[in-house]
Amino acid sequence: MSMSTALVVQNLTKSYGPVKAVDGLSFKVEKGEIFGLLGHNGAGKSTSIECILGVKRYDAGSVTVLGLSPAENRRQLFEKVGVQFQHNNYPEKITVSELCEVTGSLYRQPADWKELLKRFGLLGMHKRMVTELSGGERQRLSVILALIPNPELVFLDELTTGLDSKARRDVWKYLESLKGNGLTILLTSHYMDEVQTLCDRICILRKGQVVFMGTLTEAIQNSPCSNLEEAYLWYSGEEETTDEVL
Amino acid sequence: MKSFRALFKSEFILSVRDMNLLFFGIGFSLLFTVVLGLIMGNKPAFDGAAYSFMEQSFGGIISIGIAATGLMGLPIVLADYRHRKILKRYQVTPVSPMKLLVVQLVVNLIYALASLVLVYGVCALCFGVRIRGSVWLFAGAYLLVLVSIYSIGMMIASIAPNIKTANLLCSLFYFPMLLLSGATLPYEIMPGFMQKAMDFLPLTQGIKLLKAASLGLPADNMLVPVIVMLALTVVCVVLSLKFFRWE
């Protein structure tokens, strides 16, 4: 692995019983790159991320994150890696500021969480119970928590689900500025406008297998479609079902 | 150390807001002390006893706080955190599982100690209870009971596959020990066959130690309970670390 590579996944395979959730997934993410892992629900995105992070055991393959093995060098690695899971739970009756403070305390050089709250429009909420936040506010908080480590690499699983247009744009803008400072991002998303804005390269999964990998331009060029949305549906095999619904 | 302090502060505040430990860890043992004291007053433990019934009960009552925090508070919070995938979130941070366990342990310990101090205060001020034996011996016995009961709680937290099993195991350990170890119902008034059965509960042995220390009774035959409790602690701690799971 060269010094400029943030993440290497080789032949990752994970089955749930007879179902192959991830089937021979291989890809690399270069440092400073925003990489999108796409596919419809159940295509294997979250399972892949959880295997990569060492949270789930995988059946075969290898994963190297920032030159380290997530399973063996857990504590060293997560000093530099931020994670936002798709579903997040927090202790009941914890306030926003308490949650941020505790999260910050786990890292040697955490980001200023007040600054992050301000950036994401949550500063006025810091005394609220996390359970009292709206869906969009909780979503923004989960992104903030992933950025508190001051990470070199951040995993964002469905980062803007439930956010309104303004909030989504704010999140994009901030992530792009972090990218400018060298942050590497691996994200999943169902929104092609988001992918179009943020991603340098994408990987589209279908039933756990890679059906496309490359840049956005390549994604469109290698398909019979004229835009990313259509190309994505064409690759991920949702076009027909969408037509049926319509 | 920074993370330990922050985690402890946060978990302690959460426990205060939650109130469970306040009720079951402190409130219950205090209430039990007052009721028992009002019924028994300064009566001697038995005709011609050198110590009062309350003095005899003291060693048992203070173990309620240990059992409630160690067998209910500690494992249920950890099992709940695992169940709701809060531990999974910690798994992708640099924190060590040991630190999370110890933080919960210390939070619960504070409630157990508060219960000890308050129960002793009420017993001493209202019912004339004194520690007749060596205070150091008493402290040692208390510590031994504490670590062995907490180690059982940590083991439950680690091995229980889900929150339901954790709740079940906690009840299965807690209620028999609460009722049948001499913590609430006095061991001394039980018929012989009951006492033999009760002797199998680790807390019964611990309470015997506490009573011997607080009453200043000769500590003969105490070596076996001490060894049993130490062995239990080692086994439970090893199991709980070996089987710790984030998810």
Side-chain angles (χ1 to χ4, degrees), chain A residues 2-244:
Chain A
S2 77
M3 287 300 287
S4 63
T5 312
L7 170 66
V8 183
V9 178
Q10 274 170 326
N11 215 12
L12 186 72
T13 303
K14 164 82 183 172
S15 304
Y16 295 112
V19 183
K20 278 201 167 168
V22 184
D23 191 358
L25 174 65
S26 300
F27 65 90
K28 275 186 192 178
V29 179
E30 300 301 320
K31 284 188 179 164
E33 192 177 29
I34 301 188
F35 188 88
L37 198 55
L38 313 181
H40 59 72
N41 289 330
K45 303 182 301 280
S46 293
T47 302
S48 300
I49 288 184
E50 293 192 346
C51 288
I52 291 168
L53 294 173
V55 172
K56 270 207 174 89
R57 287 207 188 136
Y58 42 90
D59 307 327
S62 73
V63 175
T64 312
V65 186
L66 300 176
L68 300 166
S69 152
E72 284 157 36
N73 311 101
R74 190 192 134 248
R75 298 185 61 185
Q76 196 188 344
L77 177 64
F78 286 109
E79 194 68 58
K80 299 182 278 187
V81 173
V83 179
Q84 177 229 352
F85 287 121
Q86 193 179 337
H87 302 288
N88 292 281
N89 279 306
Y90 309 107
E92 268 174 58
K93 295 173 184 154
I94 197 165
T95 65
V96 172
S97 61
E98 285 166 356
L99 185 59
C100 291
E101 211 171 305
V102 167
T103 305
S105 79
L106 306 176
Y107 301 94
R108 273 189 225 115
Q109 287 165 324
D112 179 357
W113 55 265
K114 281 183 187 146
E115 189 57 40
L116 285 168
L117 285 180
K118 201 166 134 194
R119 280 270 182 183
F120 285 79
L122 288 179
L123 194 58
M125 308 278 176
H126 76 281
K127 285 193 174 152
R128 290 267 188 92
M129 294 283 170
V130 174
T131 44
E132 289 171 8
L133 298 182
S134 72
E137 286 160 356
R138 273 176 74 113
Q139 184 69 20
R140 273 178 279 163
L141 180 62
S142 71
V143 177
I144 291 173
L145 293 174
L147 295 174
I148 283 182
N150 248 334
E152 289 175 29
L153 167 64
V154 68
F155 290 78
L156 302 170
D157 197 353
E158 299 201 4
L159 66 159
T160 61
T161 299
L163 296 192
D164 60 39
S165 312
K166 164 88 170 64
R168 293 173 71 206
R169 266 157 219 279
D170 289 346
V171 172
W172 296 348
K173 219 163 109 188
Y174 189 56
L175 290 179
E176 278 181 322
S177 78
L178 291 178
K179 184 197 172 191
N181 294 331
L183 176 69
T184 310
I185 302 174
L186 188 148
L187 60 82
T188 77
S189 176
H190 288 296
Y191 305 116
M192 288 311 122
D193 55 344
E194 181 163 283
V195 173
Q196 192 113 43
T197 311
L198 291 176
C199 293
D200 300 305
R201 286 191 307 128
I202 56 171
C203 167
I204 302 177
L205 293 178
R206 181 177 177 180
K207 290 179 184 162
Q209 289 183 326
V210 178
V211 288
F212 173 80
M213 177 113 54
T215 63
L216 302 176
T217 323
E218 287 165 355
I220 300 167
Q221 277 171 359
N222 295 348
S223 78
C225 311
S226 59
N227 66 50
L228 185 66
E229 182 98 35
E230 283 169 16
Y232 166 71
L233 292 173
W234 183 76
Y235 286 113
S236 61
E238 282 214 326
E239 200 177 28
E240 290 148 40
T241 39
T242 315
D243 284 345
E244 278 162 28

Side-chain angles (χ1 to χ4, degrees), chain B residues 16-56:
Chain B
V16 172
R17 289 189 191 136
D18 180 59
M19 304 280 275
N20 268 337
L21 280 175
L22 220 53
F23 279 127
F24 296 106
I26 299 178
F28 179 66
S29 50
L30 214 52
L31 185 72
F32 185 80
T33 308
V34 171
V35 172
L36 196 67
L38 289 176
I39 297 170
M40 301 311 288
N42 292 326
K43 278 189 198 147
F46 48 88
D47 283 340
Y51 44 83
S52 71
F53 180 85
M54 284 305 281
E55 278 178 311
Q56 178 184 267

Side-chain angles (χ1 to χ4, degrees), chain B:
Chain B
M1 212 45 218
K2 176 184 69 159
S3 61
F4 185 89
R5 263 208 313 274
L7 281 163
F8 169 75
K9 185 181 152 202
S10 160
E11 291 300 322
F12 188 75
I13 290 172
L14 290 176
S15 77
V16 172
R17 289 189 191 136
D18 180 59
M19 304 280 275
N20 268 337
L21 280 175
L22 220 53
F23 279 127
F24 296 106
I26 299 178
F28 179 66
S29 50
L30 214 52
L31 185 72
F32 185 80
T33 308
V34 171
V35 172
L36 196 67
L38 289 176
I39 297 170
M40 301 311 288
N42 292 326
K43 278 189 198 147
F46 48 88
D47 283 340
Y51 44 83
S52 71
F53 180 85
M54 284 305 281
E55 278 178 311
Q56 178 184 267
S57 304
F58 177 70
I61 301 172
I62 54 165
S63 66
I64 296 174
I66 298 178
T69 54
L71 297 176
M72 297 292 272
L74 181 66
I76 286 179
V77 164
L78 286 169
D80 179 56
Y81 276 15
R82 184 185 298 121
H83 175 69
R84 298 201 294 121
K85 308 206 185 261
I86 291 166
L87 289 186
K88 180 179 158 191
R89 210 169 53 77
Y90 280 123
Q91 192 183 359
V92 293
T93 71
V95 78
S96 76
M98 192 63 177
K99 192 176 273 176
L100 294 174
L101 286 175
V102 172
V103 164
Q104 290 300 337
L105 217 121
V106 174
V107 168
N108 281 278
L109 177 68
I110 284 177
Y111 283 91
L113 290 176
S115 159
L116 169 69
V117 168
L118 291 169
V119 167
Y120 179 73
V122 170
C123 281
L125 291 175
C126 307
F127 309 115
V129 170
R130 297 280 172 275
I131 303 237
R132 291 167 181 268
S134 147
V135 173
W136 291 110
L137 206 62
F138 177 80
Y142 184 85
L143 193 69
L144 184 62
V145 175
L146 191 84
V147 293
S148 61
I149 295 297
Y150 276 36
S151 69
I152 296 176
M154 297 225 313
M155 185 194 64
I156 295 175
S158 281
I159 63 166
N162 54 53
I163 186 84
K164 272 190 182 160
T165 316
N167 274 319
L168 182 76
L169 284 173
C170 287
S171 302
L172 223 56
F173 277 87
Y174 176 63
F175 288 107
M177 289 219 226
L178 186 69
L179 295 172
L180 299 176
S181 63
T184 50
L185 304 175
Y187 178 86
E188 294 79 5
I189 63 165
M190 292 291 177
F193 73 94
M194 267 306 273
Q195 289 188 343
K196 285 211 174 67
M198 289 164 80
D199 281 342
F200 281 103
L201 293 174
L203 189 56
T204 310
Q205 303 302 329
I207 289 175
K208 278 186 186 172
L209 286 174
L210 283 168
K211 286 186 173 175
S214 70
L215 296 173
L217 298 177
D220 47 340
N221 300 329
M222 284 297 152
L223 193 62
V224 174
V226 169
I227 292 172
V228 167
M229 301 200 77
L230 282 176
L232 179 80
T233 305
V234 172
V235 169
C236 290
V237 167
V238 168
L239 285 178
S240 65
L241 290 180
K242 188 166 162 46
F243 288 105
F244 180 86
R245 283 165 303 115
W246 296 97
E247 199 183 357

